[in-house]
Amino acid sequence: MDEIIGFIAAGLTAIAFLPQAIKTWRERDATQLSVMTLLAQTCGVAIWIVYGIRIGSTPVIASNIVTISLMLLLITFKWRFRQQALA
């Protein structure tokens, strides 16, 4: 049962950045995103992955892999859309 609760919580946490990623991609505008926030969140999530591996928690590992993927996507959008604005 604990594992199920962990997966539910992890799933909800992992998809938290999905609406922002979709909005940023659709609008091709990442000016509202803070680079420092994205970097801090990405570093924190990377540490959560290490922690999840160390304690052997599949929900922690899986959710943070999804989250870090979304964070890296947002960082890519921030860089890519900035480049487009400069052109």
Side-chain angles (χ1 to χ4, degrees), residues 3-82:
E3 192 88 352
I4 293 170
I5 293 169
F7 272 113
I8 292 169
L12 293 171
T13 302
I15 64 168
F17 287 97
L18 186 59
Q20 184 65 60
I22 291 169
K23 179 182 185 293
T24 304
W25 179 71
R26 282 185 182 159
E27 295 178 2
R28 302 281 196 257
D29 178 17
T31 55
Q32 76 281 4
L33 300 176
S34 164
V35 172
M36 292 307 295
T37 299
L38 292 173
L39 293 175
Q41 181 72 20
T42 301
C43 289
V45 170
I47 295 167
W48 272 111
I49 293 170
V50 172
Y51 174 72
I53 291 168
R54 290 188 53 84
I55 66 170
S57 175
T58 303
V60 172
I61 298 165
S63 66
N64 284 292
I65 287 173
V66 171
T67 304
I68 205 165
S69 299
L70 290 170
M71 298 309 301
L72 293 172
L73 181 64
L74 288 170
I75 290 169
T76 301
F77 286 163
K78 182 73 173 174
W79 178 79
R80 183 175 177 202
F81 298 148
R82 177 178 174 266

